[in-house]
Amino acid sequence: ISGPLLSALDDALRTRELVKVQLNKSVEVSAKSAANDLAKRVKAEVIQVIGRTTTLYRHNPDLKRKKGDRPPWQV
């Protein structure tokens, strides 16, 4: 996991909160393990892992939303 990848993922989570990431098939670790490692490094939560695709979420209090809105993955 490179620095530029973490930086790009951090930016995407800051602006969108919910991001899907396609994991490389040649990696020797499980998809769940890789997803948890990514989430830990960018201070996010793993919402789901399906196959080699993971969805990460990190709340951003600066984004505008209506009071009582559900989290983005429950819409």
Side-chain angles (χ1 to χ4, degrees), residues 29-48:
V29 297
S30 72
K32 286 184 181 183
S33 176
N36 287 325
D37 186 35
L38 270 177
K40 181 179 175 185
R41 290 181 185 214
V42 294
K43 296 180 176 87
E45 296 176 51
V46 176
I47 299 303
Q48 70 179 6

Side-chain angles (χ1 to χ4, degrees), residues 24 26-34 52:
N24 193 341
S26 65
V27 176
E28 302 266 335
V29 297
S30 72
K32 286 184 181 183
S33 176
R52 303 295 295 174

